[in-house]
Amino acid sequence: MPPPEVGVVVLQPTTVAINKDLVGRLAAFRSADVRARVPGVVQRRLYEEGSEVRKGQALFQIDAAPMQAVRAQAAAALAQAQANAANSRAAAARARSLIDAKFISRADYDNALAAERTAAASVQAAQASLQAADINLGYATVRAPISGRAGKQQVTEGALVGQGEATLLTTVDQADPMYIDFSMSVSELAQVRQMGQGGAQTQVEVVLSDGTPYAGIGQLDFSGNVVDPATGAVQLRARIPNPDGILLPGSFVTLKAVLGQERNAFLVPQDAVQRDATGPYALVVGKDGMVVRKDITTDRSEGTNWVVHDGVSAGDQLIVSGLQRAIPGKPAKAAPVTPVGTAPASEAPAPAKG
């Protein structure tokens, strides 16, 4: 009887992406509390709740009359200090012109110079008071600290705010880009780092609640170095663009994380792997045409294949069809089989004629 014909594929090492299915929670890229920094009564709200606001945009107006009165007092004090400083400079100038001719005593001369210096210091103090009054007057108009979406107002018109503490008025969240917080166990993270040394930058794909993939691709930008003792996991974070505002902070999403690349791995079709009491194994056709059993170690699945490192070598003719006719130690005729996802042999370019 002629040897049975079996379908084979030739194994070659390749680079395989390390994928993990995870669950994460979305968080705003930046979140800022808008608070009242001066005491007063809220006169009106200047924005639409839930709308996009720009950095520096006015959100609330606090009654500025008390701050305006304080500023007027500070301005008057500055004017008075400047007038006193002018008088002191004039007196000091006269003292300097008379001291050489000894028309005044040394004590009067020193007193004139001291009064000049004191008046100059008073001017600086009055200028600082006026500057502080201007700052507080500016705080009467509460502005957005960042650009983003402004939330619901926490106080209404007529409320007294800023009495002893900075009263929360609203919150502004920047949702483009967006953060995705997720975690991995220590063992998984160590395995990924070991397999993915020298791999590409980690990418994260988001699957929405209806099962459709999100168009944007995220990038891992933070990996924690502290293990949570309650869960034994390490916190990670990715950043993903959100220009249309589809992703909302606080919601849970499913992640498909590409955490690196595994080099020099073999993709073995799952149909070609058999198991017995010893463990998983595969059959190959040797160079002498004999069927050889090879015990393998299946690391993980990748689609319809097993990712294998140990047990097979480059160039092995792996039997993928006709396994029931292949017997280890017996001859077999190897017939190449086109792997899934490649062009059939009939569509391959014809060899050049020499």
Side-chain angles (χ1 to χ4, degrees):
M1 295 293 292
E5 181 175 319
V6 294
V8 300
V9 293
V10 179
L11 295 180
Q12 295 295 340
T14 184
T15 299
V16 182
I18 305 173
N19 298 311
K20 290 286 184 181
D21 291 336
L22 304 166
V23 175
R25 188 172 186 176
L26 299 174
F29 180 68
R30 288 191 296 178
S31 182
D33 291 339
V34 181
R35 297 180 179 272
R37 304 174 69 173
V38 291
V41 176
V42 177
Q43 290 183 325
R44 61 183 183 276
R45 170 171 53 86
L46 305 175
Y47 75 100
E48 189 70 25
E49 293 175 305
S51 63
E52 294 289 334
V53 297
R54 303 180 307 276
K55 180 179 180 180
Q57 179 178 339
L59 302 181
F60 292 90
Q61 181 62 53
I62 298 176
D63 184 11
M67 280 75 79
Q68 291 173 345
V70 173
R71 188 198 181 282
Q73 292 176 353
L78 175 59
Q80 183 178 6
Q82 290 173 340
N84 293 334
N87 296 335
S88 299
R89 284 195 301 270
R94 286 194 300 270
R96 291 188 184 93
S97 63
L98 298 175
I99 188 63
D100 293 336
K102 297 183 179 180
F103 290 134
I104 61 173
S105 65
R106 190 71 186 182
D108 292 338
Y109 173 73
D110 292 339
N111 291 335
L113 296 185
E116 181 185 26
R117 291 190 296 268
T118 301
S122 299
V123 171
Q124 293 180 351
Q127 289 174 341
S129 298
L130 180 60
Q131 184 179 6
D134 287 333
I135 292 174
N136 290 332
L137 181 59
Y139 288 158
T141 302
V142 182
R143 302 183 181 275
I146 61 174
S147 297
R149 179 166 296 180
K152 181 181 178 182
Q153 67 175 15
Q154 301 298 317
V155 297
T156 59
E157 290 79 355
L160 180 62
V161 297
Q163 293 293 326
E165 62 180 7
T167 307
L168 177 64
L169 303 180
T170 188
T171 302
V172 178
D173 296 319
Q174 180 180 344
D176 182 27
M178 185 80 75
Y179 279 140
I180 310 174
D181 296 321
F182 59 100
S183 61
M184 290 182 61
S185 66
V186 178
S187 58
E188 287 182 333
L189 187 60
Q191 180 184 11
V192 167
R193 288 176 175 174
Q194 181 179 2
M195 293 187 302
Q197 288 181 354
Q201 186 178 9
T202 301
Q203 294 184 346
V204 175
E205 299 179 1
V206 172
V207 179
L208 302 177
S209 57
D210 59 356
T212 59
Y214 180 67
I217 301 297
Q219 300 289 341
L220 185 71
D221 71 340
F222 170 76
S223 177
N225 55 2
V226 178
V227 180
D228 187 348
T231 61
V234 178
Q235 294 295 321
L236 296 97
R237 187 183 68 191
R239 184 190 301 184
I240 189 169
N242 187 33
D244 298 328
I246 297 177
L247 304 178
L248 299 178
S251 57
F252 288 93
V253 291
T254 302
L255 307 179
K256 292 185 177 295
V258 182
L259 299 172
Q261 292 182 340
E262 189 175 358
R263 301 183 183 278
N264 299 321
F266 295 92
L267 292 178
V268 176
Q270 295 181 1
D271 295 339
V273 178
Q274 305 180 73
R275 297 179 185 272
D276 58 11
T278 306
Y281 67 91
L283 301 179
V284 300
V285 178
K287 294 182 179 180
D288 56 357
M290 306 297 289
V291 177
V292 180
R293 168 181 169 143
K294 289 198 171 185
D295 295 328
I296 62 176
T297 301
T298 55
D299 295 338
R300 56 189 175 86
S301 62
E302 182 67 29
T304 59
N305 300 316
W306 289 109
V307 179
V308 177
H309 281 89
D310 301 326
V312 294
S313 304
D316 282 349
Q317 298 183 94
L318 178 71
I319 300 177
V320 295
S321 63
L323 288 170
Q324 67 277 9
R325 298 189 297 271
I327 303 176
K330 299 294 184 179
K333 180 181 179 181
V337 175
T338 303
V340 177
T342 60
S346 61
E347 298 180 8
K353 294 182 179 180

